[in-house]
Amino acid sequence: MEFEFTKYHGLGNDFILIDNRAAAEPLLTPDQAVQLCDRHFGIGADGVIFALPGQTGTDYTMRIFNSDGSEPEMCGNGIRCLAQFLAELETVSIPHTYRIHTLAGIISPRLEAAGQVKVDMGEPRLLAAEIPTTLGQPDQKVVEQALVVAEQTWSVTCVSMGNPHCITFVEDVAAIALESLGPQFETHAVFPKKINVEFIQVVRPDYLKMRVWERGAGVTLACGTGACAALVAAVLTGQSEPRAIVELPGGALQIEWSPADHHVYMTGPATKVFTGKFEL
Ligand code: ZDP
């Protein structure tokens, strides 16, 4: 069978987008997604995103498979790409807000001028049981808890943006051995659903630098949910203002944890790269 796809990226976090509006289940299996994400034997991407019909009164449903075939609840860079993809399929006028059903609840990306998308990411979830992690008490926040990884004790803060994140503040993100530390955090026994791993350098209270190891995808150039989780962790630990720029290897996102409604808002670009066809 022949499939059409469009390749998008959000700050170098790249995805294969599939028009799945005519069917309620993804047109591809997780194994096929792994094959397509392969950068040597496939198209190459950090994940495959499906634009499915809406559920529970929403405009559309987003499903995503990571490059290892696992299915995360949410994807921040991905939902900006999905919004641009849908806008192109339907030709909408700007600004336009979509309500998208995800495994992390309803998320609303808003298309703005100059290819920017501002996403209402909802409220962060902070209790240990919600992350989930067995660090600390289930009904308490996980803020600056000691965690031993690679024979070193790290002070970690955990935040769920629908998907789980473990944030560690460091002096210099460039000095972190991400390739070796990332998988050891990701698969640590205290994280039953595994974890996305962010190392953050606070440059100023309104400017954070981040490097990320993603659950199911490894080192990526950017992670939208991770940038949101990092800003929340920086506010919880008194290091940042509620609005800051988060600089990732692929570029910068503007993140705000609104004191008014406690939602996190993420603003950044989503860029179309090319369209193509493949056969499976
Ligand atoms: O939670 C996970 O398993 C992540 N790998 C999902 C993807 C997150 C993403 N990078 C983002 O931008 O939020 C797409």
Side-chain angles (χ1 to χ4, degrees):
M1 218 174 127
E2 197 174 71
F3 294 87
E4 289 188 0
F5 70 94
T6 307
K7 185 79 192 291
Y8 273 83
H9 77 87
L11 303 177
N13 190 197
D14 58 343
F15 304 99
I16 297 162
L17 277 287
I18 305 282
D19 179 0
N20 210 129
R21 291 177 297 168
E25 287 300 315
L27 295 174
L28 304 174
T29 64
D31 281 348
Q32 290 171 326
V34 171
Q35 216 180 313
L36 295 182
C37 285
D38 191 289
R39 295 193 185 279
H40 303 288
F41 296 94
I43 299 161
D46 294 324
V48 179
I49 293 174
F50 304 90
L52 302 138
Q55 296 172 35
T56 59
T58 55
D59 301 317
Y60 293 100
T61 298
M62 175 174 81
R63 299 266 305 266
I64 166 173
F65 295 144
N66 284 317
S67 54
D68 77 349
S70 60
E71 179 168 18
E73 304 81 351
M74 231 309 265
C75 173
N77 286 324
I79 207 160
R80 293 200 317 278
C81 294
L82 177 75
Q84 289 287 11
F85 178 60
L86 289 168
E88 201 144 315
L89 290 175
E90 307 177 328
T91 331
V92 298
S93 59
I94 301 243
H96 184 85
T97 303
Y98 283 109
R99 292 178 76 242
I100 308 288
H101 181 92
T102 75
L103 296 180
I106 295 170
I107 309 286
S108 302
R110 179 184 139 105
L111 292 150
E112 298 187 334
Q116 294 285 305
V117 186
K118 180 172 184 175
V119 187
D120 178 349
M121 302 281 284
E123 287 192 42
R125 285 149 243 192
L126 302 175
L127 306 184
E130 298 176 305
I131 302 299
T133 177
T134 54
L135 268 180
Q137 297 300 313
D139 58 348
Q140 302 281 311
K141 290 178 187 157
V142 185
V143 177
E144 292 183 325
Q145 290 265 349
L147 179 68
V148 177
V149 176
E151 292 165 8
Q152 240 183 297
T153 303
W154 306 81
S155 174
V156 305
T157 297
C158 296
V159 175
S160 169
M161 291 305 307
N163 58 351
H165 296 271
C166 173
I167 294 100
T168 307
F169 293 96
V170 296
E171 287 284 308
D172 178 9
V173 278
I176 291 295
L178 200 53
E179 295 272 359
S180 66
L181 287 172
Q184 297 184 62
F185 275 82
E186 181 190 0
T187 59
H188 198 292
V190 297
F191 303 121
K193 290 195 174 162
K194 300 194 184 167
I195 202 105
N196 293 289
V197 186
E198 286 88 19
F199 291 95
I200 308 296
Q201 179 179 343
V202 181
V203 179
R204 292 191 311 266
D206 65 352
Y207 198 98
L208 314 178
K209 240 186 194 180
M210 162 172 151
R211 286 177 70 209
V212 56
W213 173 274
E214 280 187 37
R215 176 181 69 168
V219 173
T220 60
L221 296 178
C223 176
T225 49
C228 294
L231 182 275
V232 169
V235 170
L236 288 175
T237 54
Q239 305 183 78
S240 157
E241 290 161 9
R243 192 186 166 102
I245 299 290
V246 180
E247 182 198 310
L248 301 125
L253 291 170
Q254 191 205 303
I255 313 289
E256 180 182 9
W257 189 13
S258 167
D261 63 8
H262 309 294
H263 287 211
V264 180
Y265 293 86
M266 168 190 66
T267 308
T271 310
K272 181 175 163 178
V273 190
F274 60 88
T275 60
K277 287 180 187 167
F278 60 85
E279 270 181 50
L280 283 173

